[in-house]
Amino acid sequence: ETLDDFHALLVLLLHETLAMITDGKLIPDRSEWGPYLLLLPGIDRVLQRVASVTQLQVCSESDDQQCRHFFTVTPKRDLPPLLWADDEATAKDIAGRWLRGSALQQAVPRYVASVRRDWQQASVTFRAIPNLRSKLGDDNLELILDFSLYRWAYQVIDSRSIWWAGSRHLVPMLDLVNAAATDEMPANAPVHRTTLDEQATNAITYAATSFASGEQLLEDYGQPNHVLFLYHGFILPVNKHDCVRIDLEIPFKDDPTYLDSVRRRLHASRFMSPYYTTCLKPGLFTAPSETQAKGQHK
């Protein structure tokens, strides 16, 4: 049994993170990705968690300011929603206070619940792959399956992946390019796109517009604010892709026959879930003229 691309990337990310910890000390140079990993949101919480279950030596009084910075825990409000809570109930409570009246009030706890289900499945799958345990070692495998670490890596991949050829990739530096608000880019600026060159060797991403030397690079993520907030933890004040999120749900009855009937009807219509999300934007529908409106009521 092997891992799919997503979970292989998740294991690699956590393996490189744990590689920075040697003999109970944090040594970023132990991983080629060290400088990049220490920039990722929530890394301080990951290191705190590792310190709590291992003999990791947290910075002492004699250590420099840079070391102590890595262990300064970020407030929850500054983190993406997936990192707010460990379980659906707590996420629902937090979302109820911070996102009341928004469609994301329900979306955030569902997201947390879906990741927790994935982690529970991974806890079985990962342990059943013999070569994974032999390559990682028992201790590191168990740390990778610690929910706090697993969830952090899941969020990093969900928010920072660069797609090409139908697969996710983590690309240090490219994934540090911030999203541009609509009024920060030319009207004809394209949405971010990465492709492989003709030799399928290099990934190519063209800048959306010209940037002066020393100017911050920005790009159009091409996503509405509800997607940006749920997966990245921010919104854009001016966003031409924004829309009103509407969540639809088919309620289930505790009846096996009914459940089977609903599932078959959903699958027949190519729906894999009882949840459906759509988004409405101005201009999608044209209001009928007065004559048309009168005709509809005859």
Side-chain angles (χ1 to χ4, degrees):
E1 190 172 0
T2 58
L3 298 175
D4 57 39
D5 288 347
F6 179 92
H7 291 95
L9 195 56
L10 183 146
V11 169
L12 175 62
L13 175 60
L14 286 173
H15 174 68
E16 291 295 327
T17 300
L18 295 173
M20 297 190 297
I21 300 169
T22 304
D23 297 328
K25 294 183 179 180
L26 175 65
I27 307 176
D29 292 344
R30 292 282 298 177
S31 169
E32 292 181 331
W33 289 24
Y36 165 76
L37 294 171
L38 293 174
L39 292 173
L40 297 178
I43 185 66
D44 49 355
R45 290 176 177 271
V46 169
L47 297 176
Q48 285 279 22
R49 177 59 180 166
V50 174
S52 73
V53 296
T54 67
Q55 297 301 311
L56 173 61
Q57 178 181 318
V58 180
C59 308
S60 66
E61 290 297 326
S62 61
D63 289 319
D64 59 24
Q65 288 291 336
Q66 185 181 33
C67 180
R68 285 196 287 275
H69 169 72
F70 299 147
F71 290 92
T72 303
V73 175
T74 308
K76 280 185 178 179
R77 282 182 182 268
D78 294 339
L79 293 173
L82 181 58
L83 305 185
W84 288 355
D86 290 339
D87 57 79
E88 183 179 10
T90 306
K92 186 176 293 187
D93 177 65
I94 295 173
R97 288 183 279 114
W98 293 356
L99 300 171
R100 183 175 299 170
S102 163
L104 292 176
Q105 182 178 344
Q106 301 299 323
V108 168
R110 284 178 183 167
Y111 184 27
V112 172
S114 71
V115 173
R116 196 164 186 91
R117 286 193 298 271
D118 185 87
W119 165 72
Q120 290 169 339
Q121 180 60 47
S123 296
V124 176
T125 304
F126 287 15
R127 292 188 177 103
I129 303 176
N131 63 340
L132 188 61
R133 184 178 292 275
S134 63
K135 288 181 179 179
L136 298 174
D138 289 343
D139 290 343
N140 276 359
L141 177 58
E142 294 308 312
L143 277 172
I144 284 172
L145 289 174
D146 179 276
F147 181 67
S148 295
L149 274 66
Y150 188 94
R151 175 189 55 177
W152 171 78
Y154 199 108
Q155 195 281 324
V156 168
I157 297 171
D158 258 3
S159 65
R160 310 187 80 85
S161 289
I162 308 295
W163 287 80
W164 66 79
S167 298
R168 300 170 183 255
H169 306 81
L170 285 180
V171 187
M173 301 303 293
L174 179 57
D175 71 355
L176 296 177
V177 178
N178 284 328
T182 299
D183 56 357
E184 294 179 303
M185 300 287 273
N188 61 347
V191 170
H192 168 95
R193 183 169 179 261
T194 297
T195 58
L196 286 177
D197 61 13
E198 293 181 357
Q199 291 74 37
T201 302
N202 300 300
I204 308 297
T205 303
Y206 291 100
T209 187
S210 297
F211 293 92
S213 176
E215 186 179 1
Q216 180 184 187
L217 289 174
L218 296 171
E219 63 183 11
D220 185 345
Y221 281 18
Q223 298 287 357
N225 277 341
H226 72 85
V227 171
L228 294 176
F229 187 84
L230 185 61
Y231 296 106
H232 300 268
F234 69 87
I235 62 172
L236 298 172
V238 183
N239 184 356
K240 67 182 179 182
H241 305 290
D242 207 12
C243 54
V244 177
R245 172 174 171 145
I246 298 177
D247 292 305
L248 305 176
E249 176 184 356
I250 298 175
F252 279 120
K253 300 177 182 177
D254 190 15
D255 178 349
T257 302
Y258 172 79
L259 291 175
D260 183 62
S261 172
V262 169
R263 288 194 185 98
R264 284 189 284 103
R265 289 159 62 189
L266 284 171
H267 290 172
S269 301
R270 299 184 179 180
F271 286 98
M272 299 296 108
S273 168
Y275 304 110
Y276 178 71
T277 298
T278 189
C279 223
L280 299 181
K281 298 179 68 172
L284 284 178
F285 302 99
T286 303
S289 66
E290 185 176 348
T291 301
Q292 291 173 323
K294 288 180 179 177
Q296 292 173 357
H297 289 86
K298 285 183 179 179

